[in-house]
Amino acid sequence: MENAAHQDLPASVLEFRLPDLGEGLTDAELVSWAVAVGDTVELNQAIADVETAKAIVSLPSPFAGRVVELLAQPGDTVAVGAPLIRIRTEEAASETGRTSVLVGYGPEAEATSRRRPPAQSGVSRTESTDSQPEEPGLSRADDADSVAEEPQRQSGLALGATRAAATPAARKLARELGLDLWFIAGSGPGGAVTVDDVRGAVPVSQPRVATVPTVADTGPVRPSVREERTPISGIRKRTAAAMLTSARTIPQASTFVTVDCTASVELLDHLRGTKSFANLTLTPLPLVAQAALAALADFPGMNACWDEAAQEIVTKHYVNLGIAVATERGLLVPNIKEAQTLSLRDLTREIGWLADTARAGGATPAELRGGTFTITNVGVFGVDAGVPLVNPGEAAILCLGSIRKRPWVVRDEIAVRWVTTLGVSFDHRMVDGELAARFLATVAGFLEDPLTLLSRV
């Protein structure tokens, strides 16, 4: 299957080009074909899966007819607008070459997530007396979705996580010079590599390919059984790109607080027995999320982004709350749109539904982009604290550690209490240490006395 050169097509042959999936990216990786040359396809029949911005999207056919040519192979990176497939159909010639728009994607679909199922869709997970039950966890701020956040979009850069952030001219020059963009520090908007960066670049720490000793006349070279090599692709490559952007462009700092959350644990135990939460799995994470949302209302500077092109701080008075989810395919960070409007019950349902959907590989591009503040839960792994990296395009990320019974001083006496550690990493360009500390102390205060939190809802 080779990309065919431009040619005049018969009126009966229509060409389907990769549509704009509404992610601010310029390309997608073809994962697999669901059809072959000669197959008959129906209107809206799934014909291929593509992956971009951490979401695998199934492409439906906009035409009914017979497949005459596949124009890309699995593993190929296909540019938006590039031809994917040709189908012979009886449609009028005027339809030839049109760019189809997938239902649920494109610019109009970016701002909203899919409609959630009814409340009874909560996840059933096993409770633990030592730490939180299984729920969305470990975040290293990955959201390759975040690689193309506000500053990059406004500067005209579409940073696909399958490649380093660079201007088109810089990318072309790097190819001509044989340089790897991953090893060139960028000085452009959002850390993008510019032509000047390429011209003055001296690649650093270029990886050396290890060779496996061979014995003459023993057949083909085989990799050492003591090592295993895994190609960097898909979500891992996109995560790496986002982490590189985060570490390279964001001056980060962190602060921590240890909290007696016994009252919160007791409140959750009580709520689990109520009718409102009968069909939901209520874990500490939704309560922490609600505490964070209340604190963000008091300290909106924690819910902002840095616009490099305009040299402005953009404070957002809505919260698209990112929840880090560890999946078999890698880390995903879907976000709950307008989370500040939700009750504890609604947050519980949304978090459970998003986590299940992400683990099943069903998260949409709209759910994986546009986050404004993220929560990661390392406590599900029995870890007391963590220092996550800030998602590019956000100001801060909150980390929840394990909730354990520990000795604690209560009214000058030692008592056994439920205790956890909260941490927040923040972009020091926008957030000063005082603001971060006051925000974190407010979240801790809500967990120490959750009735004050509920009184604000």
Side-chain angles (χ1 to χ4, degrees):
M1 295 179 292
E2 297 181 355
N3 288 333
H6 176 73
Q7 56 183 299
D8 293 330
L9 299 176
S12 61
V13 176
L14 300 182
E15 195 171 72
F16 177 40
R17 298 172 179 269
L18 180 66
D20 179 1
L21 300 177
E23 303 173 40
L25 301 181
T26 59
D27 52 39
E29 180 180 329
L30 178 63
V31 176
S32 63
W33 284 108
V35 296
V37 172
D39 287 354
T40 299
V41 297
E42 302 294 334
L43 182 66
N44 291 328
Q45 175 183 335
I47 56 174
D49 286 342
V50 297
E51 181 175 7
T52 183
K54 299 187 175 180
I56 292 182
V57 179
S58 182
L59 299 180
S61 174
F63 318 123
R66 185 177 300 276
V67 177
V68 296
E69 194 171 5
L70 303 179
L71 303 174
Q73 297 181 4
D76 287 352
T77 297
V78 183
V80 170
L84 276 175
I85 187 173
R86 289 173 180 158
I87 298 175
R88 187 178 302 280
T89 177
E90 298 303 321
E91 292 189 24
S94 61
E95 297 292 320
T96 303
R98 72 182 179 188
T99 300
S100 301
V101 176
L102 302 184
V103 176
Y105 300 95
E108 294 182 358
E110 289 183 13
T112 58
S113 299
R114 291 180 297 181
R115 185 176 300 278
R116 303 290 185 258
Q120 61 265 28
S121 63
V123 191
S124 176
R125 287 187 282 266
T126 305
E127 293 286 344
S128 168
T129 58
D130 193 36
S131 62
Q132 296 91 328
E134 181 187 353
E135 59 188 32
L138 186 61
S139 170
R140 293 290 304 277
D142 116 155
D143 192 3
D145 153 271
S146 303
V147 179
E149 269 298 337
E150 295 295 335
Q152 292 89 337
R153 286 202 300 272
Q154 294 175 12
S155 63
L157 295 176
L159 309 183
T162 56
R163 53 185 179 176
T167 63
R171 199 175 299 283
K172 180 176 183 296
L173 180 60
R175 284 197 301 268
E176 294 173 351
L177 298 177
L179 297 178
D180 189 339
L181 288 170
W182 288 108
F183 302 98
I184 300 176
S187 62
V193 178
T194 67
V195 170
D196 289 340
D197 296 330
V198 175
R199 287 172 176 163
V202 178
V204 296
S205 302
Q206 290 279 12
R208 292 178 295 176
V209 178
T211 57
V212 179
T214 60
V215 179
D217 302 325
T218 58
V221 176
R222 297 178 181 274
S224 170
V225 296
R226 290 163 38 116
E227 297 181 355
E228 179 180 355
R229 290 179 177 267
T230 303
I232 302 172
S233 61
I235 288 179
R236 177 57 56 196
K237 192 167 187 177
R238 300 175 192 279
T239 300
M243 293 301 92
L244 182 62
T245 299
S246 178
R248 186 174 61 186
T249 64
I250 300 175
Q252 307 192 33
S254 301
T255 188
F256 302 88
V257 64
T258 303
V259 187
D260 175 3
C261 57
T262 303
S264 288
V265 172
E266 293 173 347
L267 173 64
L268 293 173
D269 286 341
H270 170 73
L271 292 176
R272 290 187 189 103
T274 64
K275 184 178 179 180
S276 295
F277 291 87
N279 297 317
L280 299 174
T281 299
L282 179 59
T283 70
L285 183 57
L287 187 62
V288 173
Q290 192 167 58
L293 290 167
L296 288 174
D298 293 341
F299 304 100
M302 300 292 291
N303 188 52
C305 73
W306 181 272
D307 188 337
E308 180 68 27
Q311 286 294 290
E312 294 175 342
I313 295 174
V314 182
T315 301
K316 301 177 181 180
H317 297 291
Y318 61 92
V319 183
N320 291 344
L321 183 65
I323 302 293
V325 182
T327 75
E328 291 183 357
R329 295 170 51 236
L331 180 69
L332 297 178
V333 188
N335 62 81
I336 302 170
K337 308 300 189 213
E338 303 290 341
Q340 80 282 357
T341 65
L342 302 181
S343 66
L344 178 61
R345 181 176 181 275
D346 291 336
L347 279 172
T348 301
R349 184 180 68 250
E350 292 288 292
I351 289 173
W353 190 87
L354 270 185
D356 274 0
T357 302
R359 292 193 184 102
T364 68
E367 288 159 349
L368 290 168
R369 67 168 299 163
T372 65
F373 184 89
T374 298
I375 297 179
T376 178
N377 180 10
V378 300
V380 295
F381 306 114
V383 175
D384 293 334
V387 186
L389 295 182
V390 178
N391 282 320
E394 298 179 13
I397 179 171
L398 179 67
C399 182
L400 171 63
S402 62
I403 298 177
R404 304 176 185 273
K405 287 184 176 179
R406 302 178 188 177
W408 196 260
V409 177
V410 180
R411 291 186 289 274
D412 294 331
E413 293 185 359
I414 300 296
V416 177
R417 308 286 286 181
W418 289 99
V419 177
T420 191
T421 298
L422 300 173
V424 64
S425 296
F426 53 95
D427 184 336
H428 222 320
R429 294 174 300 179
M430 296 179 276
V431 179
D432 293 331
E434 178 189 6
L435 175 59
R438 293 174 64 190
F439 165 82
L440 193 60
T442 300
V443 176
F446 286 141
L447 296 182
E448 289 176 343
D449 186 3
L451 294 182
T452 62
L453 171 62
L454 298 182
S455 67
R456 293 183 44 153
V457 177

